[in-house]
Short mmCIF file of all heavy atoms in Angstrom, two decimals:
data_model
loop_
_atom_site.label_atom_id
_atom_site.label_comp_id
_atom_site.label_asym_id
_atom_site.label_seq_id
_atom_site.Cartn_x
_atom_site.Cartn_y
_atom_site.Cartn_z
N ARG A 458 0.67 -11.05 -28.54
CA ARG A 458 -0.72 -11.34 -28.88
C ARG A 458 -1.10 -12.76 -28.55
O ARG A 458 -0.33 -13.68 -28.80
CB ARG A 458 -0.94 -11.15 -30.38
CG ARG A 458 -1.13 -9.72 -30.74
CD ARG A 458 -1.14 -9.53 -32.23
NE ARG A 458 -1.21 -8.09 -32.48
CZ ARG A 458 -2.31 -7.45 -32.83
NH1 ARG A 458 -3.44 -8.11 -33.02
NH2 ARG A 458 -2.31 -6.16 -33.01
N LEU A 459 -2.27 -12.92 -27.98
CA LEU A 459 -2.90 -14.24 -27.92
C LEU A 459 -4.07 -14.18 -28.89
O LEU A 459 -4.72 -13.13 -29.02
CB LEU A 459 -3.41 -14.53 -26.50
CG LEU A 459 -2.34 -14.72 -25.41
CD1 LEU A 459 -3.00 -14.96 -24.06
CD2 LEU A 459 -1.41 -15.88 -25.75
N ASP A 460 -4.36 -15.29 -29.56
CA ASP A 460 -5.50 -15.32 -30.46
C ASP A 460 -6.78 -15.02 -29.69
O ASP A 460 -6.84 -15.19 -28.46
CB ASP A 460 -5.65 -16.72 -31.09
CG ASP A 460 -4.47 -17.07 -31.98
OD1 ASP A 460 -3.78 -16.15 -32.45
OD2 ASP A 460 -4.24 -18.28 -32.19
N THR A 463 -7.78 -17.82 -27.55
CA THR A 463 -6.79 -18.31 -26.57
C THR A 463 -7.02 -17.62 -25.22
O THR A 463 -7.35 -16.43 -25.18
CB THR A 463 -5.35 -18.03 -27.06
OG1 THR A 463 -5.16 -18.70 -28.30
CG2 THR A 463 -4.31 -18.51 -26.07
N TYR A 490 2.49 -23.05 -23.00
CA TYR A 490 1.07 -23.19 -23.36
C TYR A 490 0.56 -24.57 -23.00
O TYR A 490 1.30 -25.56 -23.11
CB TYR A 490 0.88 -23.00 -24.87
CG TYR A 490 1.16 -21.60 -25.35
CD1 TYR A 490 2.45 -21.22 -25.71
CD2 TYR A 490 0.15 -20.66 -25.43
CE1 TYR A 490 2.72 -19.93 -26.14
CE2 TYR A 490 0.41 -19.36 -25.86
CZ TYR A 490 1.70 -19.01 -26.21
OH TYR A 490 1.97 -17.73 -26.64
N ILE A 540 7.56 -22.46 -26.20
CA ILE A 540 8.15 -21.83 -27.39
C ILE A 540 8.79 -20.50 -27.01
O ILE A 540 8.40 -19.86 -26.04
CB ILE A 540 7.11 -21.60 -28.52
CG1 ILE A 540 5.93 -20.74 -28.04
CG2 ILE A 540 6.62 -22.90 -29.09
CD1 ILE A 540 4.94 -20.40 -29.15
N HIS A 546 -0.43 -17.65 -34.81
CA HIS A 546 -1.03 -18.98 -34.66
C HIS A 546 0.03 -20.07 -34.47
O HIS A 546 -0.16 -21.21 -34.92
CB HIS A 546 -1.88 -19.36 -35.87
CG HIS A 546 -3.11 -18.50 -36.07
ND1 HIS A 546 -3.74 -17.86 -35.04
CD2 HIS A 546 -3.83 -18.21 -37.18
CE1 HIS A 546 -4.79 -17.20 -35.52
NE2 HIS A 546 -4.85 -17.39 -36.81
N GLN A 547 1.13 -19.75 -33.83
CA GLN A 547 2.28 -20.65 -33.85
C GLN A 547 1.98 -22.05 -33.32
O GLN A 547 2.31 -23.06 -33.95
CB GLN A 547 3.46 -20.05 -33.07
CG GLN A 547 4.67 -20.97 -33.07
CD GLN A 547 5.96 -20.24 -32.83
OE1 GLN A 547 5.98 -19.03 -32.76
NE2 GLN A 547 7.03 -20.99 -32.69
N VAL A 548 1.39 -22.12 -32.13
CA VAL A 548 1.16 -23.45 -31.53
C VAL A 548 0.16 -24.23 -32.38
O VAL A 548 0.36 -25.42 -32.69
CB VAL A 548 0.68 -23.30 -30.07
CG1 VAL A 548 0.29 -24.65 -29.48
CG2 VAL A 548 1.78 -22.64 -29.21
N LYS A 549 -0.88 -23.54 -32.82
CA LYS A 549 -1.90 -24.23 -33.65
C LYS A 549 -1.27 -24.75 -34.94
O LYS A 549 -1.53 -25.87 -35.36
CB LYS A 549 -3.03 -23.26 -33.97
CG LYS A 549 -3.88 -22.90 -32.76
CD LYS A 549 -4.89 -21.83 -33.12
CE LYS A 549 -5.63 -21.36 -31.86
NZ LYS A 549 -6.31 -20.09 -32.08
N LEU A 562 -6.61 -23.52 -26.27
CA LEU A 562 -5.24 -23.13 -25.96
C LEU A 562 -5.23 -22.13 -24.82
O LEU A 562 -6.01 -21.17 -24.82
CB LEU A 562 -4.61 -22.52 -27.22
CG LEU A 562 -3.11 -22.26 -27.18
CD1 LEU A 562 -2.33 -23.57 -27.00
CD2 LEU A 562 -2.66 -21.57 -28.48
N1 URA B 1200 0.00 -19.93 -30.55
C1 URA B 1200 -1.22 -19.90 -31.12
O1 URA B 1200 -1.51 -20.64 -32.04
N2 URA B 1200 -2.12 -19.03 -30.63
C2 URA B 1200 -1.88 -18.20 -29.58
O2 URA B 1200 -2.76 -17.44 -29.17
C3 URA B 1200 -0.59 -18.25 -29.01
C4 URA B 1200 0.33 -19.13 -29.52
#
Side-chain angles (χ1 to χ4, degrees):
R458 279 171 185 258
L459 292 179
D460 295 338
T463 300
Y490 293 88
I540 57 175
H546 294 334
Q547 180 157 354
V548 174
K549 291 174 186 163
L562 190 62

